[in-house]
C-alpha cells in the first residue's frame, strides 16, 4: 500500500497489516525540495503539530510550532470534536475544505476512517450548496481553469501544474451541476469533491489527481451579472469553437501525462454524449453521469432482483420506466441494455424493455427529428408522448427510475398505481440534491406499505413504521463505482475504458452486497466498506483489461496476484518522515 501524501517521483511503497497481514518496521523517508517554514504552508507536506523533534531540526523550523507533539490520531480526534459541534452542513463542508487546504494527509485520514459520516459533507447533498457559494467563499487555488483565451497555450499551461505524475483528472464545464443547472466556474466544487473520494475511497494519492474547470462561459444570467463571479462572464461557446477548445485541452493533458484518466463530470446533455463518443476510443476517459451512473444503477437493480428472490438474469424480463431522457437517463438505459445483451438477449429484445420519458412524455418515433441519436434508439412507435401516469397504467412497470431533477415528480397516485400491479416495485429516485429527488424514502415506503425496493441519489434517514418495521434506504451513489474503476484503469495502464469494464464493475459491486445487507433492505454495501469495494472493483477492471489486451503497465508477476498488486498501489493517509534535499559538498 502506498502511504503518505507527498510527491517524490517514485513513491515509497510498503505493505501494512490491513492488506498484507504483516507489520511495518519502518517507513522510507520522502526527500523534499521545500525548505524551512514553507513546509508548514504546503498541505501535501504539512503535518501541523505532528512534526517530531528530529524533523523540526533537520527541516529547520524548530521553534516555529508549539512544544507538544501530537500524532495523527489525536489531531483527528480534535478536528472531529470541532466538526461535530457544528450544526450546519455547509459549515462542516467549509471546515473540511479548510483542513484540506492546510493538511491533506490528515484530511484524507478523516475521510478514510469516517467516510460514511463525511461523504454527505464533501459530496452530495452538501456540495450543491458549496458550488452555489463557491465564489463568495473562495480561499486558495486548487485545480486548474482553461478558457478560450488560453487557446494555443494549453500545452504549455499544463506544465504550470507542479506534479509530474497525474493519474486522474476530473473535468467539468459547469453546465449541469447536479440538479442545479448551469453554475459555470462555480462547478469546481464537483471535481474537488469527486477527487477527494478518489483519494479516500479509491486509494489514488492526492498529488496524483487534478480537478479542472473547462470554462467555456455560462448561460446563467445571474452569474453573468454577478460582480463576484470568478468565471468567464460571456455566453457559452457552442459548436465548432467549443470542440476545438476541448480538443486542445485533451491533447495537452495527454501530452504531459500520457496515461492520465480523464473523467467528464456534469456536462449538459447537449455535449456529454458527443464528447464521450469523440474521445473514448483514443483517450483513457469516461463520463461519470452517463457511464458511472449507469453502472451504479445496474448494480442496484441487480441487487434489487436478488432481494425479490429473482435471478439477476431476469433483467431482460423487467419493464423499466425511466423518467428523464438526458445524459443520465439515456446512459442508464444504455448500460442496462448492454447488461441484457451480456445475459443473452438480442439488442431488439433488450430495447423493448424500456419506456423513457422526457418533459413531453414517452419518447416516440413521431418526433424523431427532435431527439438525438441516443434517444432515438429507445423511441417507441406506439403511444407517442404518453404521460408518466398513463405509461405506468398501460405498461405496468416493475422498475421506476427518476433522473429528472423535478422534486416530487413521483406522486402517491403514481406509486400506488405501480404497486397495484407489482407486489414489490423497484423505485429509484436518483436526482440530486435531496430537494430534487422525485420522491423521498418515507413516501415510497408509505405508499407501498413498505413493499417497495428503494434506492436514491441522495441519502435518506432510516425509516421506522409504527408496526416496528425498520427500513434502511440505500444510496445509489456513483462513488461506489468510479473510484474503483479509475483505480483499476490507472494502475494497469488501460488504453481505454470499455463497456465490458463498466459491466464487470457493476457486477462486482452487486455481488459485494451481503445477505445481511439485503435483509436490512440495503442494495449497496455500507460506506464503511468503500475501500474494500473499490479494491474489488479495481481488480475486476484490471482482469478485464488483461482479457481485452488493453493493460500496458502490468508485469507477468503482477498479473499472477492482482489482489496484492492493486492493494500495494492504494494510497493510505499516514505521516511519513521527511528529509530535505540538499547539495552536499565534500
Amino acid at each position: 500500500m502506498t502511504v503518505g501524501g507527498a510527491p517524490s517521483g517514485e513513491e515509497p511503497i510498503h505493505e501494512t497489516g490491513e492488506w498484507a497481514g504483516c507489520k511495518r518496521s519502518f517507513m522510507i523517508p520522502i526527500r523534499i525540495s521545500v525548505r524551512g517554514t514553507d513546509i508548514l504552508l504546503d498541505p501535501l507536506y504539512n503535518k501541523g503539530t505532528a512534526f517530531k523533534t528530529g524533523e523540526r531540526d533537520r527541516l529547520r523550523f524548530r521553534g516555529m510550532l508549539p512544544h507538544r507533539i501530537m500524532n495523527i490520531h489525536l489531531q483527528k480526534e480534535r478536528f472531529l470534536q470541532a466538526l461535530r459541534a457544528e450544526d450546519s452542513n455547509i459549515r462542516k463542508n467549509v471546515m473540511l475544505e479548510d483542513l484540506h487546504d492546510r493538511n491533506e494527509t490528515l484530511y484524507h485520514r478523516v475521510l478514510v476512517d469516517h467516510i460514511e459520516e463525511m461523504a454527505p459533507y464533501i459530496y452530495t447533498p452538501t456540495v450543491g450548496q458549496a458550488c452555489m457559494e463557491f465564489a463568495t467563499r473562495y480561499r486558495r487555488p486548487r485545480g486548474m481553469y482553461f478558457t478560450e483565451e488560453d487557446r494555443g497555450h494549453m500545452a504549455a499551461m499544463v506544465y504550470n501544474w507542479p506534479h509530474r505524475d497525474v493519474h486522474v483528472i476530473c473535468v467539468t464545464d459547469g453546465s449541469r451541476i447536479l440538479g442545479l443547472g448551469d453554475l459555470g466556474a462555480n462547478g469546481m466544487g464537483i471535481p474537488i469533491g469527486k477527487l477527494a473520494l478518489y483519494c479516500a475511497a479509491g486509494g489514488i494519492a492526492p498529488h496524483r489527481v487534478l480537478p479542472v474547470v473547462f470554462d467555456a462561459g455560462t448561460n446563467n444570467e445571474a452569474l453573468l451579472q454577478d460582480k463576484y463571479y470568478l468565471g468567464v462572464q460571456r455566453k457559452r461557446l457552442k459548436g465548432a469553437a467549443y470542440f476545438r477548445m476541448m480538443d486542445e485541452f485533451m491533447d495537452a493533458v495527454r501530452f504531459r501525462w500520457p496515461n492520465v484518466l480523464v473523467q467528464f463530470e456534469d456536462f449538459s446533455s447537449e455535449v456529454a454524449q458527443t464528447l464521450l463518443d469523440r474521445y473514448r476510443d483514443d483517450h483513457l476517459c469516461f463520463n461519470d453521469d452517463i457511464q458511472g451512473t449507469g453502472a451504479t444503477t445496474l448494480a442496484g437493480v441487480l441487487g434489487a432482483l436478488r432481494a425479490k428472490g429473482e435471478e439477476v438474469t431476469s433483467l431482460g424480463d423487467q419493464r423499466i420506466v425511466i423518467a428523464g431522457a438526458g445524459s443520465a437517463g439515456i446512459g442508464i438505459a444504455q448500460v442496462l441494455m448492454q447488461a441484457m445483451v451480456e445475459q443473452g438477449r438480442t439488442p431488439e429484445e433488450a430495447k423493448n424493455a424500456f419506456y423513457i420519458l422526457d418533459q413531453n412524455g414517452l419518447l416516440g418515433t413521431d418526433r424523431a427529428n427532435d431527439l438525438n441519436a441516443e434517444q432515438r434508439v429507445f423511441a417507441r412507435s406506439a403511444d407517442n408522448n404518453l404521460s408518466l401516469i398513463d405509461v405506468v397504467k398501460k405498461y405496468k412497470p416493475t422498475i421506476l427510475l427518476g433522473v429528472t431533477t423535478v422534486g416530487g415528480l413521483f406522486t402517491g397516485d403514481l406509486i400506488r398505481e405501480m404497486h397495484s400491479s407489482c407486489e414489490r416495485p423497484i423505485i429509484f429516485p436518483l436526482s440530486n440534491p435531496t430537494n430534487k429527488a422525485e420522491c423521498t424514502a418515507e413516501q415510497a415506503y408509505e405508499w407501498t406499505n413498505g413493499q417497495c425496493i428503494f434506492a436514491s441519489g441522495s441519502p435518506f434517514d432510516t425509516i421506522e413504521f409504527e408496526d416496528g418495521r425498520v427500513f434502511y434506504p440505500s444510496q445509489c451513489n456513483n462513488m461506489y463505482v468510479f473510484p474503483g474503476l479509475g483505480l483499476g484503469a490507472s494502475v494497469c495502464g488501460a488504453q481505454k475504458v470499455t463497456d465490458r469494464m463498466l459491466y464487470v464493475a457493476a457486477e462486482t459491486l452487486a455481488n459485494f452486497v451481503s445477505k445481511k445487507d439485503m435483509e436490512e433492505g440495503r442494495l449497496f454495501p455500507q460506506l464503511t466498506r468503500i475501500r474494500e469495494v473499490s479494491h474489488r472493483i479495481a481488480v475486476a477492471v484490471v482482469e478485464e483489461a488483461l482479457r481485452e489486451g488493453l493493460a500496458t503497465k502490468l508485469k507477468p508477476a503482477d498479473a499472477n496476484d492482482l489482489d496484492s498488486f492493486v492493494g500495494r498501489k492504494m494510497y493510505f493517509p499516514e505521516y511519513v518522515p521527511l528529509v530535505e534535499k540538499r547539495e552536499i559538498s565534500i
Side-chain angles (χ1 to χ4, degrees):
M1 181 188 296
T2 303
V3 296
S8 61
E10 191 65 33
E11 277 215 37
I13 292 176
H14 71 269
E15 294 178 335
T16 68
E18 182 182 356
W19 292 96
C22 61
K23 290 187 177 181
R24 177 178 72 252
S25 58
F26 69 95
M27 292 187 189
I28 302 172
I30 292 177
R31 297 178 66 216
I32 59 175
S33 300
V34 182
R35 299 187 61 186
T37 52
D38 289 345
I39 295 168
L40 301 177
L41 303 177
D42 190 320
L44 280 172
Y45 300 113
N46 182 30
K47 305 179 187 179
T49 55
F51 282 106
K52 296 182 180 179
T53 303
E55 282 183 308
R56 299 182 190 200
D57 281 338
R58 67 175 176 264
L59 298 174
R60 292 181 281 182
F61 55 76
R62 186 166 183 156
M64 303 299 295
L65 291 169
H67 171 74
R68 172 78 185 278
I69 296 171
M70 305 187 80
N71 60 33
I72 198 168
H73 304 290
L74 280 172
Q75 288 179 315
K76 184 184 73 169
E77 183 180 315
R78 181 179 61 188
F79 175 79
L80 289 173
Q81 187 177 58
L83 185 81
R84 290 165 178 165
E86 177 59 61
D87 293 330
S88 162
N89 283 359
I90 191 61
R91 280 293 306 155
K92 291 182 179 183
N93 173 277
V94 171
M95 291 174 69
L96 281 159
E97 282 308 301
D98 284 346
L99 179 62
H100 198 184
D101 288 343
R102 66 178 182 268
N103 185 334
E104 293 220 17
T105 306
L106 180 58
Y107 169 79
H108 287 106
R109 185 58 173 268
V110 169
L111 298 191
V112 168
D113 291 350
H114 303 274
I115 188 66
E116 192 167 29
E117 179 183 356
M118 299 301 146
Y121 307 142
I122 66 167
Y123 203 60
T124 55
T126 312
V127 72
Q129 185 177 352
C131 285
M132 290 190 291
E133 299 175 8
F134 181 81
T136 56
R137 66 185 190 90
Y138 182 82
R139 282 169 167 73
R140 55 151 282 172
R142 181 174 290 279
M144 293 192 74
Y145 299 79
F146 294 82
T147 73
E148 188 181 24
E149 293 177 7
D150 301 317
R151 287 284 311 280
H153 300 281
M154 293 184 193
M157 282 174 62
V158 292
Y159 285 90
N160 292 339
W161 189 249
H163 306 305
R164 66 182 185 224
D165 192 23
V166 173
H167 288 190
V168 180
I169 290 172
C170 184
V171 57
T172 184
D173 70 351
S175 57
R176 192 197 63 82
I177 297 299
L178 301 175
L180 303 171
D182 186 346
L183 296 185
N186 287 353
M188 176 56 99
I190 296 294
I192 290 172
K194 286 277 186 177
L195 291 172
L197 294 174
Y198 262 111
C199 297
I204 305 287
H207 66 279
R208 288 179 168 161
V209 301
L210 170 57
V212 169
V213 163
F214 181 79
D215 191 351
T218 179
N219 292 334
N220 185 323
E221 287 296 333
L223 296 180
L224 290 172
Q225 303 302 321
D226 184 354
K227 66 180 179 179
Y228 298 118
Y229 177 62
L230 298 175
V232 173
Q233 284 188 301
R234 293 194 299 270
K235 289 286 188 178
R236 283 190 172 276
L237 285 180
K238 287 187 175 183
Y242 179 95
F243 290 107
R244 281 195 300 269
M245 182 177 156
M246 181 59 81
D247 285 343
E248 183 175 343
F249 166 75
M250 292 294 286
D251 289 342
V253 297
R254 191 168 66 161
F255 178 77
R256 185 175 182 198
W257 304 293
N259 298 309
V260 71
L261 170 70
V262 177
Q263 176 174 318
F264 295 110
E265 189 70 38
D266 286 359
F267 285 76
S268 71
S269 300
E270 295 176 6
V271 297
Q273 187 69 51
T274 303
L275 289 173
L276 180 60
D277 293 341
R278 192 179 185 94
Y279 303 116
R280 66 184 303 176
D281 292 328
D282 301 314
H283 294 253
L284 180 61
C285 66
F286 74 104
N287 183 299
D288 190 45
D289 304 295
I290 297 173
Q291 297 166 293
T293 300
T296 310
T297 305
L298 171 59
V301 168
L302 295 178
L305 293 178
R306 289 172 59 200
K308 290 177 69 171
E310 299 182 18
E311 296 292 331
V312 295
T313 52
S314 71
L315 181 60
D317 297 328
Q318 307 302 313
R319 296 178 297 281
I320 304 171
V321 169
I322 301 178
S327 56
I330 296 299
I332 289 170
Q334 289 171 334
V335 173
L336 293 179
M337 179 175 162
Q338 178 64 29
M340 293 175 191
V341 172
E342 289 283 346
Q343 294 176 355
R345 300 303 174 105
T346 67
E348 190 65 25
E349 289 172 338
K351 183 182 70 174
N352 286 334
F354 295 93
Y355 305 84
I356 302 180
L357 299 92
D358 62 10
Q359 67 272 23
N360 297 314
L362 186 66
L363 299 188
T365 53
D366 70 332
R367 52 187 174 110
N369 292 337
D370 298 325
L371 305 178
N372 61 39
E374 292 72 36
Q375 291 171 328
R376 284 196 292 272
V377 170
F378 297 98
R380 305 184 72 90
S381 58
D383 300 320
N384 295 302
N385 305 330
L386 212 60
S387 70
L388 179 58
I389 185 68
D390 288 334
V391 168
V392 170
K393 287 179 178 178
K394 180 166 184 176
Y395 292 106
K396 306 186 185 312
T398 55
I399 299 174
L400 176 63
L401 310 176
V403 281
T404 62
T405 70
V406 179
L409 179 68
F410 294 170
T411 64
D413 288 343
L414 180 78
I415 299 302
R416 291 188 190 98
E417 180 63 39
M418 183 179 179
H419 185 219
S420 69
S421 58
C422 178
E423 183 180 359
R424 301 208 65 195
I426 298 171
I427 300 171
F428 286 13
L430 298 176
S431 294
N432 287 312
T434 309
N435 65 350
K436 301 289 184 180
E438 286 78 9
C439 70
T440 67
E442 184 175 12
Q443 289 169 335
Y445 287 120
E446 179 186 339
W447 295 333
T448 62
N449 192 29
Q451 294 300 302
C452 72
I453 300 175
F454 179 91
S456 57
S458 287
F460 285 103
D461 293 333
T462 301
I463 309 298
E464 297 185 24
F465 274 34
E466 291 183 359
D467 59 11
R469 288 180 294 167
V470 179
F471 301 94
Y472 300 88
S474 291
Q475 186 181 3
C476 182
N477 193 302
N478 292 12
M479 69 177 290
Y480 281 109
V481 167
F482 70 78
L485 176 65
L487 174 66
S490 173
V491 299
C492 76
Q495 293 172 307
K496 60 182 178 179
V497 176
T498 65
D499 289 338
R500 276 287 305 169
M501 291 178 189
L502 292 160
Y503 178 75
V504 300
E507 191 175 48
T508 301
L509 174 57
N511 291 336
F512 197 91
V513 180
S514 68
K515 183 177 180 181
K516 183 175 185 297
D517 288 331
M518 286 194 293
E519 287 173 353
E520 294 178 344
R522 303 181 198 271
L523 303 181
F524 295 90
Q526 290 183 275
L527 278 179
T528 52
R529 305 187 68 192
I530 189 64
R531 282 177 68 92
E532 296 175 66
V533 172
S534 297
H535 178 261
R536 190 85 59 86
I537 288 175
V539 170
V541 169
V542 174
E543 288 174 341
E544 184 57 34
L546 286 169
R547 275 194 292 269
E548 297 186 49
L550 296 173
T552 64
K553 289 184 179 179
L554 279 178
K555 299 174 184 176
D558 297 328
N560 291 333
D561 189 359
L562 290 178
D563 270 10
S564 295
F565 170 73
V566 172
R568 288 195 305 272
K569 295 294 185 180
M570 290 182 74
Y571 157 79
F572 184 78
E574 191 167 9
Y575 293 140
V576 297
L578 301 179
V579 177
E580 184 182 342
K581 288 183 181 179
R582 299 184 192 176
E583 294 295 329
I584 301 175
S585 57
I586 299 175

